[in-house]
Amino acid sequence: MTYDEWHIVSLAPWGRVGQAAAILCACAIVFFAWRALRHDERASRRWILLALRLGAVTASLVLFFEPAVRLQNVTRLPNHVAVLVDGSESMRLKENPKQPSRAERAAAWLRAERNTFAQLGREHVIDFYSYGDKLEPTTPEAITAAPPTRGDATRLREALAALRGRYEGRDLGGVIVVSDGVDNGRLGNAAGAAGALDADSTDFLKSLDAPVHGAWVGKPGLTDVAIARVLADDFAFVRTAVTIEAVVRVVGRGPGWDGKTLPVILRRDGVPIKVAEVTVEPGRTEYRVAFSFTPERVGKYLYEIATPLLDGEAIAENNARAFLLKVIRDKIRVLQVTGRPAWDVRYLRGQLKHDPNVDLVAFFILRTPTDIELVPSDELSLIPFPTEELFQEQLRSFDLVFLQNFNYGPYGIGAYLGEIKRYVEEGGGLAMIGGDLSFTSGGWAGTPVADVLPVDLVPDGPPEKLVDLQPFKLQLTPAGVAHPLMALKLDVAQNRARWNELPELEGTNLVARARPGSTVLGVHPTRKDSDGRPLPVLTVGEAGKGRVLALTSDDSWRWGFADKAGDDRGRAYQRFWDSAIRWLIRDPALSFLRIETDQPEYARGQRVQVTVRALGTDYQPLAGAKLDVTVSRIPTVLDISSTARLEPVSAQHGVTDEDGELIFELPPPAPGGYRITARATLAGRPVEEDEVFLVRGAGRELEEPEARDDILRAVAAVTGGSMRGPGESLEGLTFWPPRVVRVNQHRDVEVWSRWWMLLVAAGCLGLNWALRRRWGYA
């Protein structure tokens, strides 16, 4: 048997404590011997005695530790070499349409290096992996045949960290990274100019304790225009200007690109709203454009910034970038127009003015064009009524309009009544409040505004046919008791009792009837409408996308007083109008249908879970509601046949469960924006709600798609690896030799058990004693 290695080992049964005690004892003996001899002026005698004492102690330690020479016959186990092949999306790119892609060049390179890998396999175990946004094991056959290009990102540092975890406790001899050098993980983000790595990345790479070799498959010559980044917040405020910036990257130059003007288009739900221009300049790669606009409506919208596809571009997907923008209210913008000062006007204006969530614009009519003026108009402090500015230019900037005891006739508003109707149908809120200048008494019968009111107006006639001045107490209908607008108390019985305690209203406008589809919340206790039903006093309804409220009395301010001492004075009036405003502006918290997705944005290949919730009039989960849900794709600039119309891709029909929910999954949709629309008939009224989600297309891989080798070179330099260019041989790459061995057989040759070792110890001690006596030390 031949032995390959030898080691010195101790065969003594003593533990670490015993060994340490023996060493301390030996040191103490030598120290005290030196201390006893340090004053002897005869140096030769002193050193002879000290040498004998040291020899005796050394021989004793050898006997104590029982040392032996261990001879071993060993076999070295091969260590591992990991080959990481970039499987991210940038690897599918072609610098030239007539040339192979980066992934195809990588596959051809690995096929050409089969002999090199076979030679490495004699000393190492070769493991193949694909990496992009995550590390996945693969096979040589899969890598060399058709390397996958599915990863939405390239994260080399994260892949190396996962690799280190896989080889924890095993011998890793080195790594080969086959990549185009694009990196948008922690390593790429931390890399500075020319691929310089920061201290944290350098420390991480050194901790791998293995050489990392780079095999670069990139080439120069890529030509591309990309929307590289979009700088936008997740939300914006309605009617508040917002600025969105985009970075346009121009890589390489196609035919006729220099000097060309590129339009950059901002779209909302597929409809262009802004256009900017970029002029391509020689030597410049990045251009920044800004879009400023003012969202007019609350909701979630899909925005897209895009440039047209140019001749010679390598990538089409990165010419557009979509994002979601949620538009919320900073404040509720309210327009209050009143015919004359009154207590009802004062109370409502006071509540709106002191509400921090309301931005109020109020106009009081204090003089009319027919008033007698004793001085010139330009000397009066009262301004003329701004008819055109309010009802044409600024109308759509308001969430809600109050027409409170206001007759439009004397102020030239008749030409703009159609604008008010369209404002409501497009989603605005409108509240008409009674008085002797309101409803039919204000001349509103037969106007476009009357078309959107939730009540039919009586024809014009004498005052006694238009108003009733007798006091009465408002009676809630069954629908009114459960409606959130009337919820002064959460409990239904307590809510009805609270309304019964409120003061009477002194008079009401007379109307013909409630319109079909509207909801009567409160009625007159004795008066009847034209159909013989209780006269509607408080009625709500919907017109197009907007909501309308009709209160035929101008005495709701009396609800700010209490009939009984100790009641919450003023709270009923405040709560009523708070709830009315929230309902009129379609506060999402008051919607009967609610749609949720498990996340707002998805990566490609992810399934989408949709939950639709139905609520009853009491805002409790509604079981058994029939729902029709449509999922439509919002067209983008890359859709050649795009006509800015939603394209249905899925339809679901179902019934809500006992929790009032309908839950379903969509198979992984194609990249783009999608709008979910749910429809139902709840409490006899059609209800509709929608939601938007986004499936990401081109990710960070295609923001900066040009190949780069500087990061791979820096990684190789830090770890002691080498760099190879496209097609260069991988021969000569260095890897750590195997460090894990298997012991086949061993034999111990004892040193301490020799007879002469005991003789040395005894001889040194005896000679030391004899010389000490002869020289007078003992």
Side-chain angles (χ1 to χ4, degrees), residues 95 102 219-226 228 248-254 257 280 284-287 312-315 318 702-707:
E95 284 77 12
R102 298 170 184 174
K219 282 185 177 181
L222 185 77
T223 57
D224 183 59
V225 177
V248 182
R249 283 182 59 87
V250 180
V251 180
R253 291 295 184 270
W257 284 20
V280 180
R284 185 177 176 185
T285 59
E286 284 198 355
Y287 305 83
E313 278 199 66
I315 314 166
N318 61 4
L702 303 184
E703 290 178 6
E704 300 179 3
E706 60 270 29

Side-chain angles (χ1 to χ4, degrees), residues 74-80 123-125 171 737-743:
V74 299
T75 301
R76 292 189 176 275
L77 301 179
N79 59 4
H80 295 259
E123 299 182 1
H124 311 277
V125 177
D171 193 2
R739 286 172 283 189
V740 178
V741 298
R742 181 179 62 205
V743 179

Side-chain angles (χ1 to χ4, degrees), residues 99 104 143 163 171 182 197 205 229 239 258 260 279 292 300 305 311 337 393 402 428 519 588-589 627 636 693:
Q99 295 179 354
E104 291 169 343
I143 288 292
L163 189 72
D171 193 2
V182 175
L197 303 179
L205 292 171
R229 291 185 298 279
R239 293 180 306 278
D258 284 339
K260 189 177 184 64
T279 301
S292 295
K300 186 186 290 185
I305 298 177
D311 292 338
V337 183
E393 298 176 5
F402 280 95
T519 302
L627 302 178
T636 68
F693 68 89

Side-chain angles (χ1 to χ4, degrees), residues 476-490:
L476 265 61
T477 64
V481 173
H483 200 281
L485 192 150
M486 308 296 287
L488 301 182
K489 299 287 185 180
L490 295 178

